[in-house]
Amino acid sequence: MQIPLLSIDKNYESLNDAKVTAKVIDSYICARSLNLLGFPKRKEHILELVTHKLQYWERLIAEANELFWLKNEGRGCAVFYPNQNCGYTRVYIYKPTKEHDIRRDQQWNIGTWRSIQSETSLLDILSSIECLDIFYNWKAHQLQINSVPTEFADGRISNTAVDKVMILPTNDRHPVKRVHYATEVNYDQTENIKLQISPTLFRRVQGGSPGASS
């Protein structure tokens, strides 16, 4: 599959395997979604993701919104449709390794599969007006409410030792006033994580009144 697949497995290496449920896997991708706007894609509103772990794949196909069987490719795709937290349609596939792929003669025995001809058919189905509208409305809204942290992120990368900034958006339950909180993680590189939280949650966490960004 000659497309820019986003590998997901390293995201969960620090977790006990039993805790890496389909909900955890997809929720993390949703949390990162705003940071993936610049990731190369065949369709702007579709994230095409890959796991090399069979146990992750089986959990994903058990919980996906819809399963598609691509007859021409002998491949299954687990699809998670856009929601209030993530405007992307997320499509997960399984490959045993980065270098090797598999072709199956029959569908996996987990879940109910919808058979279609090819990847082209899948992309056409997932490019419905509804999916496109959800994505573009979500994107415009996220760029608007995250304009301040995005400007902060650009400044951090330009003027400090920070190599990477991750902005974690939240659903907009407190549109009038929000608190921006930032922290830094150091390992092989310096990574800055910035998230928006409500004033109420900030007080609960800090035990005090919300102030400026850290």
Side-chain angles (χ1 to χ4, degrees):
M1 193 178 287
Q2 300 300 313
I3 57 174
L5 293 170
L6 181 62
S7 182
I8 66 170
D9 296 342
K10 287 187 177 181
N11 299 329
Y12 317 104
E13 288 179 343
S14 63
L15 298 179
N16 180 281
D17 180 70
K19 295 182 178 180
V20 187
T21 64
K23 183 176 181 180
V24 167
I25 292 172
D26 192 58
S27 294
Y28 181 79
I29 298 300
C30 290
R32 288 189 58 197
S33 57
L34 184 61
N35 301 272
L36 297 174
L37 289 175
F39 186 79
K41 311 173 191 73
R42 288 194 289 184
K43 298 282 187 178
E44 185 183 5
H45 68 292
I46 299 176
L47 288 178
E48 298 182 72
L49 308 123
V50 61
T51 178
H52 306 298
K53 294 191 175 185
L54 181 59
Q55 67 269 32
Y56 288 3
W57 171 242
E58 291 178 339
R59 294 165 194 171
L60 286 164
I61 61 178
E63 299 294 333
N65 296 132
E66 195 161 8
L67 300 173
F68 290 90
W69 182 254
L70 312 184
K71 292 185 287 187
N72 289 358
E73 284 84 13
R75 176 188 300 288
C77 295
V79 175
F80 289 73
Y81 287 115
N83 55 46
Q84 64 176 348
N85 296 320
C86 179
Y88 283 110
T89 299
R90 287 92 61 204
V91 178
Y92 296 87
I93 70 165
Y94 170 68
K95 291 176 61 177
T97 69
K98 293 180 180 179
E99 295 77 21
H100 298 93
D101 206 347
I102 58 171
R103 179 184 177 90
R104 289 173 59 93
D105 295 328
Q106 59 184 2
Q107 303 163 358
W108 301 81
N109 60 2
I110 299 173
T112 301
W113 296 84
R114 176 179 172 183
S115 293
I116 58 177
Q117 283 299 122
S118 64
E119 287 179 345
T120 301
S121 303
L122 177 64
L123 293 177
D124 287 343
I125 292 169
L126 300 183
S127 295
S128 67
I129 296 298
E130 181 181 9
C131 287
L132 289 170
D133 282 349
I134 292 173
F135 173 76
Y136 287 117
N137 288 334
W138 169 83
K139 177 182 176 182
H141 181 64
Q142 290 298 326
L143 290 177
Q144 179 184 9
I145 66 174
N146 286 286
S147 59
V148 171
T150 299
E151 183 178 350
F152 166 89
D154 291 341
R156 279 281 184 156
I157 292 175
S158 300
N159 302 314
T160 70
V162 172
D163 300 294
K164 180 181 179 182
V165 177
M166 183 182 295
I167 300 172
L168 301 181
T170 59
N171 52 25
D172 197 18
R173 295 179 181 175
H174 302 272
V176 177
K177 183 178 180 182
R178 303 188 71 81
V179 176
H180 303 290
Y181 184 79
T183 188
E184 289 185 1
V185 178
N186 292 279
Y187 39 97
D188 293 336
Q189 62 180 12
T190 301
E191 181 169 335
N192 184 272
I193 301 173
K194 188 169 182 66
L195 56 135
Q196 299 185 65
I197 59 177
S198 70
T200 301
L201 179 57
F202 190 95
R203 285 193 294 270
R204 289 177 183 172
V205 175
Q206 296 294 102
S209 300
S213 298
S214 298

